[in-house]
Amino acid sequence: MEVSAQAGPVAGRRPARWAAACTALLGALALLLAGCVTNNDGTVPERTPLHIEPVPSIAALVPQQIRAAGRLVVGTNPPYAPNEFKDPSGTIVGFDVDLMNAVAAVLDLTVRYEQADFDKIIPAVQAGTYDLGMSSFTDTLERENAVDFVTYYRSGIRWAQRTGDHIDPGDACGLRVAVQTGTTEDIVEVPEASAACEAAGKPPVHKIKYLSQADATNALLLGRVDAFSADLPVTAYAIKRADGRLAFAGPVKDSAPYGWPVRKGSPLGPALQEAMQYLIDSGMYRTIADDWGVEAGMITTSRINAAA
């Protein structure tokens, strides 16, 4: 069963997109009583200052053309909080951004971010327009035919519930589950769960769609739904910003690595991989992930082409 809480077009391109929080639809009184989680695209948490020195042995791996330019040109597609989105001044920020800035510092480079349509980033990397892509790309075998991927995170689908509830995503028959319109959770995951319930002779999952993840999160806080389903870093970020009112429900589903696409066979891949591993081993990776509340998907080893 499906209920649309809001109507209108959504440009979805991967699990969970973020937009404005605390809309008038929820009602001023309800917001005063229950509080509002402001996990919108303009919300940036306070982060731990990091002082990262270049590592000459790793920086030496950078291709000469990039070294001569002194910077990485990175294609990205905000908004997708908390990974890449714009702050109130229009600057692209996020977990991915802080991590890429740290990698660039290890390589003794700066970064220039260029906004692009999501589906045009990998072709632009292949053409040499961008040195790499950074837009929460899932490393897949199909994509590895076109580019190499340097992994930096592991994501998947993760549900959230109100703290103290006991929601089992594997047995959600009859429950109200919020999703963001156009996401994998909306199109595939929750419908499959509902179909399994009906096949077993149980009530379907009542899927309730929202235009923004912030609206889905607030619906859960206000008791309008029993849970929400979203991509792991999105769920983790919402929980971090909910002041203890939300918690994870169930394990991560359909886990897969995130990676930065680079041209096939480019020596930039090993340079990025070594820099990423340096950040992991030094603990700076954990600091960045903790600041953004996405530590649940941290990896211990960065790899090139880890889809298999």
Side-chain angles (χ1 to χ4, degrees):
M1 181 176 293
E2 177 178 315
V3 178
S4 180
Q6 297 186 22
V10 168
R13 52 120 165 59
R14 58 197 160 174
R17 304 286 302 269
W18 293 67
C22 308
T23 61
L25 178 64
L26 295 177
L29 178 60
L31 292 176
L32 288 172
L33 293 174
C36 174
V37 58
T38 55
N39 41 12
N40 66 336
D41 288 355
T43 302
V44 182
E46 293 201 11
R47 286 106 80 203
T48 306
L50 293 175
H51 182 69
I52 304 174
E53 293 286 348
V55 180
S57 61
I58 302 177
L61 301 174
V62 175
Q64 182 56 39
Q65 183 178 356
I66 296 175
R67 176 173 301 285
R71 69 185 178 199
L72 292 168
V73 181
V74 179
T76 189
N77 178 232
Y80 191 50
N83 294 348
E84 48 269 332
F85 60 102
K86 292 184 177 182
D87 68 12
S89 72
T91 301
I92 298 175
V93 297
F95 164 64
D96 281 2
V97 177
D98 283 356
L99 189 58
M100 180 55 61
N101 289 342
V103 165
V106 173
L107 298 176
D108 198 17
L109 300 170
T110 60
V111 187
R112 187 179 80 201
Y113 296 102
E114 295 196 359
Q115 188 170 341
D117 292 341
F118 182 77
D119 58 1
K120 294 180 180 178
I121 294 175
I122 286 180
V125 169
Q126 290 177 290
T129 304
Y130 304 139
D131 297 317
L132 70 150
M134 183 209 72
S135 211
S136 304
F137 284 98
T138 299
D139 178 3
T140 67
L141 290 174
E142 180 180 5
R143 285 174 173 165
E144 286 177 6
N145 290 326
V147 290
D148 289 334
F149 280 89
V150 179
T151 62
Y152 64 93
Y153 194 77
R154 192 164 189 90
S155 187
I157 295 171
R158 195 80 189 263
W159 287 32
Q161 62 187 353
R162 286 182 297 278
T163 300
D165 287 353
H166 301 283
I167 302 296
D168 178 6
D171 185 18
C173 306
L175 297 182
R176 302 163 299 167
V177 179
V179 296
Q180 184 178 0
T181 300
T183 62
T184 294
E185 291 79 12
D186 172 26
I187 297 169
V188 179
E189 188 246 348
V190 174
E192 287 183 350
S194 185
C197 289
E198 293 186 281
K202 298 180 180 180
V205 177
H206 300 279
K207 183 181 70 173
I208 303 179
K209 298 163 47 166
Y210 293 88
L211 282 184
S212 76
Q213 178 59 40
D215 290 336
T217 300
N218 282 317
L220 178 57
L221 286 167
L222 294 169
R224 296 172 182 261
V225 296
D226 301 298
F228 76 68
S229 179
D231 212 16
L232 171 61
V234 176
T235 301
Y237 188 59
I239 289 173
K240 180 180 177 68
R241 303 199 64 77
D243 298 326
R245 292 172 289 166
L246 297 180
F248 288 118
V252 177
K253 299 169 59 179
D254 301 327
S255 178
Y258 277 171
W260 299 308
V262 299
R263 292 181 76 176
K264 201 75 183 168
S266 170
L268 178 59
L272 292 170
Q273 186 271 328
E274 289 284 349
M276 180 64 212
Q277 192 62 49
Y278 173 80
L279 294 174
I280 292 172
D281 296 340
S282 68
M284 287 182 279
Y285 172 55
R286 172 168 288 280
T287 298
I288 295 169
D290 285 346
D291 284 347
W292 287 98
V294 298
E295 61 275 11
M298 289 175 55
I299 60 174
T300 57
T301 303
S302 176
R303 304 185 186 278
I304 296 177
N305 295 337

